[in-house]
């Protein structure tokens, strides 16, 4: 047998996924975001230029291939660069351009629970923002979205402020000086990061390294006056909006395109892969070839992780599956098969959820009805056929009621 590709999933029941996606769509439609779609295939260069060559995503996780000597393509490892490409390529002038999209993302990571090689993200981007109030509103909208699905005590919003390139250049000098005195203590990966991507040292899981970094200087103490004012203003807005959060000065995120605010929503219900949403501010347009800046804020929600979290928390969304009651149509013999088909089709056309059981075995039909949680059994025997009626067996009350075919749908809808 040919096996499933490692790190991918067969999802045999998409009903929870569909419900969660429809809540997210409704939430962002209501905040004036438009639903868009970009391709799964993109030129690899798009991500090399935007996400950064030193990131894990670009250096080792992209599914890249060539179909001819000129083109190197990949399966998208994230959506933000692709959405920015669409913004530039389609000459969008609307500001801000508020959009969302969802679908598969591919990263060649080491698979484990909550970490897959093909996973689903719901991405929300607001491109062309000009005021820190828009960042605060964006975070508030994410927070109210999650609070609709799960008790807010089940998750934490962590934020940090990375400032602009000038802020980071100054901070890196101070940080490098601090780490240089401890090079013998930190791991080899961190030693490489010190040279190639200094801020990513904070992502190291090694406890000895973490101990070293716990006393390191923090970026928000080294911001320029302008950036510090924005960080303060952002916090004032978030306080006014009553957004609970923690400041994690070591939150830098694994993609190189962020400026100013970065954030992550995480939950202890998720174990090691605890972040179910991450994002921040960025200005990718010039990196992808646009003449002017287009400051933006966005987030990627990991749908797989969100579902794991909702299941672990027993969220009301799990219980409330909104499925229509099922009516099982049961012809007693071949003689009633055609009638069963016709009745089932006309009931379906009137909005009822029906299925025909052709087993011609009433005992089996009852046990199947119990197993699948049918609301009623619609019994069609010789008498019913001759009298143009059907017998409705109510699986909750246990009552039986014989009604004319013409009245069947009406009676079922009132149950
Ligand atoms: P990210 O943090 O790489 O950000 O991914 C966002 C979310 O996708 C994560 O918080 C996590 O829930 C989920 N995720 C990431 N990798 C995996 C995986 N291997 N398996 C399952 N879930 C995963 C971005 O992708 C940015 N583009 C987000 C963004 C949008 N920033 C600005 N706009």
């Amino acid at each position: 047998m040919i096996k499933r590709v490692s790190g991918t999933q067969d999802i045999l029941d998409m009903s929870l996924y569909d419900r969660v996606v429809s809540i997210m769509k409704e939430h962002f439609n209501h905040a004036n975001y438009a639903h868009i779609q970009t391709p799964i295939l993109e030129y690899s260069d798009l991500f090399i230029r935007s996400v950064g060559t030193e990131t894990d995503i670009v250096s080792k996780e992209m599914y890249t291939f060539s179909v001819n000597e000129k083109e190197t393509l990949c399966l998208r490892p994230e959506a933000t660069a692709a959405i920015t490409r669409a913004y530039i390529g389609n000459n969008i002038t609307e500001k801000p351009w508020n959009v969302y999209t969802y679908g598969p993302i591919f990263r060649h990571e080491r698979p484990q629970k909550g970490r897959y090689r093909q996973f689903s993200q719901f991405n929300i981007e607001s491109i062309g923002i000009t005021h820190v109030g828009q960042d605060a509103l964006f975070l508030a909208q994410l927070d109210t979205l999650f609070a609709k699905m799960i008790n807010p005590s089940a998750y934490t919003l962590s934020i940090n402020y990375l400032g602009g390139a000038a802020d980071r250049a100054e901070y890196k000098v101070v940080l490098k000086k601090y780490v240089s005195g401890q090079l013998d203590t930190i791991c080899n990966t961190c030693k490489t990061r010190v040279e190639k991507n200094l801020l990513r040292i904070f992502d190291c899981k090694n406890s000895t390294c973490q101990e070293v970094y716990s006393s390191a200087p923090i970026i928000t103490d080294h911001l320029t006056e302008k950036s510090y004012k924005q960080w303060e203003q952002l916090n004032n807005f978030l306080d006014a909006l009553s957004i609970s959060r923690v400041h994690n000065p070591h939150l830098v995120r694994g993609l190189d395109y962020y400026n100013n605010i970065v954030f992550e929503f995480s939950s202890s219900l998720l174990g090691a892969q605890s972040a179910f949403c991450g994002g921040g501010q960025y200005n990718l347009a010039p990196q992808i070839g646009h003449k002017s800046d287009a400051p933006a804020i966005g987030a990627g929600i990991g749908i797989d992780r969100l579902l794991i979290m909702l299941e672990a928390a027993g969220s009301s969304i799990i219980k409330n599956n909104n499925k229509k009651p099922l009516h099982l149509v049961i012809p007693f013999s071949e003689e009633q098969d055609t009638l069963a088909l016709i009745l089932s089709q006309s009931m379906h056309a009137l909005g009822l959820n029906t299925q025909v059981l052709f087993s011609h075995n009433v005992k089996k039909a009852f046990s199947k009805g119990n197993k699948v949680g049918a609301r009623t059994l619609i019994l069609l025997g010789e008498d019913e056929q001759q009298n143009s009626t059907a017998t409705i067996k109510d699986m909750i009350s246990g009552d039986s009621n014989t009604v004319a075919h013409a009245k069947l749908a009406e009676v079922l809808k009132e149950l």
Side-chain angles (χ1 to χ4, degrees):
M1 200 200 109
I2 297 175
K3 288 201 210 132
R4 194 162 35 78
V5 173
S6 171
T8 64
Q9 312 168 77
D10 293 318
I11 306 172
L12 302 180
D13 181 357
M14 287 291 278
S15 56
L16 181 60
Y17 178 103
D18 290 341
R19 260 176 284 144
V20 165
V21 165
S22 88
I23 292 170
M24 297 199 276
K25 284 169 75 173
E26 197 189 311
H27 186 82
F28 287 103
N29 285 338
H30 186 57
N32 208 25
Y33 280 71
H35 182 188
I36 62 159
Q37 195 172 49
T38 60
I40 286 169
L41 277 181
E42 295 278 358
Y43 289 113
S44 303
D45 260 355
L46 174 65
F47 303 102
I48 293 169
R49 278 162 67 168
S50 54
V51 176
T53 44
E54 295 306 327
T55 60
D56 289 349
I57 294 179
V58 169
S59 65
K60 53 186 184 200
E61 293 172 1
M62 289 218 290
Y63 284 92
T64 303
F65 57 95
S66 298
V67 275
N68 58 42
E69 277 165 19
K70 287 192 207 126
E71 293 183 328
T72 305
L73 306 177
C74 68
L75 300 174
R76 63 179 180 193
E78 66 108 50
T80 310
I83 293 173
T84 309
R85 179 201 49 66
Y87 169 83
I88 301 167
N90 292 286
N91 300 316
I92 308 288
T93 51
E94 188 185 327
K95 281 204 176 89
W97 192 48
N98 286 343
V99 294
Y100 67 83
T101 192
Y102 63 94
I105 303 285
F106 303 84
R107 292 182 194 171
H108 192 265
E109 293 196 74
R110 200 162 39 80
Q112 67 176 91
K113 186 170 168 112
R115 187 166 65 196
Y116 310 104
R117 290 180 173 172
Q118 177 178 337
F119 58 99
S120 291
Q121 269 188 3
F122 191 99
N123 275 268
I124 315 105
E125 312 290 342
S126 181
I127 304 182
I129 54 166
T130 49
H131 194 276
V132 70
Q134 286 161 307
D135 298 313
L137 196 59
F138 187 84
L139 277 179
Q141 281 165 348
L142 282 173
D143 194 46
T144 49
L145 168 70
F146 299 133
K148 274 184 192 171
M149 301 190 213
I150 193 167
N151 189 321
S153 64
Y155 64 83
T156 305
L157 165 61
S158 306
I159 64 171
N160 193 20
Y161 207 77
L162 303 179
D167 298 88
R168 287 193 296 278
E170 208 186 302
Y171 173 62
K172 278 181 189 168
V173 175
V174 182
L175 181 63
K176 195 159 181 183
K177 198 166 160 208
Y178 172 84
V179 190
S180 300
Q182 321 249 6
L183 281 181
D184 292 344
T185 322
I186 61 175
C187 70
N188 285 339
T189 312
C190 281
K191 278 183 198 147
T192 314
R193 283 181 172 165
V194 168
E195 294 311 319
K196 293 194 162 171
N197 201 351
L198 179 60
L199 298 190
R200 290 291 312 287
I201 56 170
F202 292 126
D203 287 342
C204 184
K205 299 272 185 283
N206 183 313
S207 56
T208 314
C209 297
Q210 277 307 329
E211 208 178 313
V212 170
Y213 307 143
S214 63
S215 325
I218 64 173
I219 190 157
T220 41
D221 288 343
H222 294 272
L223 296 172
T224 56
E225 201 185 327
K226 190 174 161 225
S227 292
Y228 191 75
K229 271 198 175 141
Q230 292 210 332
W231 167 231
E232 261 189 337
Q233 204 184 6
L234 174 73
N235 279 298
N236 291 340
F237 284 138
L238 292 175
D239 285 342
L241 292 164
S242 306
I243 304 299
S244 308
R245 66 211 180 265
V246 293
H247 174 208
N248 174 0
H250 293 171
L251 180 68
V252 289
R253 310 253 314 120
L255 303 96
D256 280 354
Y257 51 59
Y258 292 112
N259 285 315
N260 304 328
I261 182 166
V262 283
F263 59 85
E264 252 169 30
F265 286 84
S266 59
S267 172
S268 54
L269 294 168
L270 285 168
Q273 302 304 317
S274 64
F276 60 93
C277 171
Q281 228 197 68
Y282 59 93
N283 179 21
L284 274 177
Q287 267 160 268
I288 300 177
H290 198 41
K291 295 184 294 296
S292 38
D293 287 338
I297 187 161
I301 300 172
I303 303 180
D304 310 76
R305 290 189 196 171
L306 183 60
L307 300 190
I308 295 173
M309 183 176 76
L310 295 180
E311 269 166 351
S315 159
S316 57
I317 298 169
I318 312 266
K319 292 166 208 147
N320 174 20
N321 73 7
N322 280 338
K323 242 186 161 178
K324 283 193 170 185
L326 174 65
H327 303 286
L328 277 187
V329 182
I330 298 161
F332 283 13
S333 72
E334 272 178 29
E335 301 294 311
Q336 288 86 40
D337 281 356
T338 312
L339 175 62
L341 286 174
I342 294 169
L343 281 182
S344 171
Q345 265 304 84
S346 64
M347 282 157 61
H348 184 246
L350 291 168
L352 290 160
N353 180 12
T354 65
Q355 196 185 322
V356 184
L357 279 191
F358 291 106
S359 60
H360 306 137
N361 178 331
V362 179
K363 213 171 149 199
K364 264 194 188 164
F366 267 75
S367 73
K368 168 98 179 181
N370 276 322
K371 198 170 158 203
V372 299
R375 180 66 186 83
T376 70
L377 304 186
I378 312 297
L379 306 174
L380 301 174
E382 229 174 278
D383 287 353
E384 282 87 355
Q385 190 170 24
Q386 265 172 17
N387 301 327
S388 298
T389 58
T391 298
I392 302 172
K393 173 79 182 168
D394 188 319
M395 297 295 275
I396 294 175
S397 68
D399 295 345
S400 292
N401 181 18
T402 302
V403 299
H405 291 166
K407 290 265 172 206
L408 185 58
E410 196 185 311
V411 172
L412 293 177
K413 278 186 176 177
E414 274 170 17
L415 279 179

